[in-house]
Amino acid sequence: MSAPASAAPAPHVSVLLDEVLAALAIAPGEVHVDGTFGAGGYASAMARAGARVFAFDRDPDAIREGQAVADAHGITLIPGEFSRMDTLLAERGVGQVSGVTLDIGVSSMQLDRAERGFSFQSDGPLDMTMAQDGMNAADFLNTAPEEEIADVIYRYGEEPRSRRVARAIVDARPLERTGQLAAVVRRALGHKPHDKKDPATRTFQAIRIHVNRELEELERGLEAAEALLEEGGRLAVVTFHSLEDRIVKQFLRNRSGGEGAGSRHMPQRADGPPPTFARPAKAVRPGEAELARNPRARSATLRSAVRTAAPAPSSSSARSARA
C-alpha cells in the first residue's frame, strides 16, 4: 500500500474518473460539488469540463496542499465534512447544484504517509484521524472495553474472529504504533508470509471507520446531496468496500421507490413519498486496463442516479426511515 521510505509516493490516480464524468454529464456553467477533494483529481476534471466547482475535505493536509491545485482550476476549496455541504454552501449563497460526487474512504495521500497511521505497511503513530482531531485509534484501543472493541471490529471489519482480536489488543495495552497493532492481530489470527491478504487488514479498516465515523458521515452526506441537487441533478458515489456500497445502494433503492413494493402478486403501494431519484444506473466497476494502471481500484464501485423534482424528506424523517 505504502511506498518505501526512500521512494517517492505513487502519484494519486482518481478511480473510475471517465465513468464518473460520464455519469455527471457536465454542461459548461453548471455548479458541481466534489465532497472528497483529496488530491483534486475529480474536482480538476469537473472544472476542465466547464463546471463551477465547490470542493470539501475535512483533512487539513488536503486543504493546505490542495489550495494551489484549486486556485489553478478556479475551484472553491472548503474545509469541512461533506455531510455539511448543504449548510456550508448555503452560507456562500448556493442553494442548489447540478451534481455531487463522493469518493468514499481513505485517500492514497493518507495511506502513503506513515505519520498519519492509516496503514500497517509502514510503522507510524496509531492515529487514523482524517480531520486530525478528536479521538484517535490509540485513544480508542487503549481505553475502550474489550466487548466494544470486538463489536467495532466485527461490525466495521466483518472480522469473524473479532473477540479473539479484541482480547489480544486488551492484553497488549498500551498500543501506540501501527506496527504494534498489526503484530498483535497477526499473532492472534495466525499469519504466514505467503498469505494473500494480511489478517490485520480487517481490523485496521474497522478501527479507521469507527474513529472517523465514516458510515454515519456517508449517510448524512447522501441526505445533504439529496437536499442540494436540483431537478435533473446527478449524484455519483464511488465506494471501496461492501459496507459503504451497501449504504449507497440501499439509499438509492429507497429514494427511487424501490423499497416497500411488496409481493409481485399484490397491488403496488402508492402511499409512500414520491421518489427523489430516478431509477439508479447499473453499478460500474473498473475494467482490466484501469486495474493494470491502478491496483487500488480493484474494489471500487460507482453508483449514480438523477434527481427528480420531489422534495427531499426532512432529516428527522429520513433517519426514521433508516431505523
Side-chain angles (χ1 to χ4, degrees), residues 56 78 84-96 228:
F56 295 84
I78 304 171
R84 300 172 56 227
M85 68 174 85
D86 51 344
T87 302
L88 294 173
L89 286 178
E91 293 172 357
R92 290 162 172 80
V94 178
Q96 286 195 313
L228 262 179

Side-chain angles (χ1 to χ4, degrees), residues 77-194:
L77 187 53
I78 304 171
E81 300 91 345
F82 63 72
S83 61
R84 300 172 56 227
M85 68 174 85
D86 51 344
T87 302
L88 294 173
L89 286 178
E91 293 172 357
R92 290 162 172 80
V94 178
Q96 286 195 313
V97 301
S98 297
V100 173
T101 300
L102 302 174
D103 175 13
I104 306 303
V106 67
S107 73
S108 297
M109 294 167 60
Q110 291 162 336
L111 282 172
D112 286 334
R113 296 178 180 181
E115 68 272 16
R116 298 297 303 275
F118 285 97
S119 173
F120 50 77
Q121 299 294 338
S122 297
D123 185 52
L126 200 49
D127 187 341
M128 300 192 195
T129 57
M130 292 181 177
Q132 301 185 41
D133 63 8
M135 179 185 68
N136 64 24
D139 295 333
F140 170 64
L141 294 175
N142 290 325
T143 61
E146 180 181 321
E147 184 177 356
E148 182 181 353
I149 295 172
D151 288 347
V152 165
I153 294 172
Y154 181 79
R155 184 183 307 121
Y156 299 142
E158 299 179 296
E159 171 55 69
R161 294 176 289 175
S162 62
R163 298 198 180 280
R164 181 183 300 181
V165 175
R167 170 58 60 86
I169 287 171
V170 170
D171 288 346
R173 288 172 172 172
L175 295 170
E176 301 295 341
R177 309 286 297 180
T178 57
Q180 285 178 282
L181 175 60
V184 167
V185 178
R186 289 166 185 155
R187 283 197 301 269
L189 299 181
H191 176 51
K192 300 179 180 64
H194 60 271

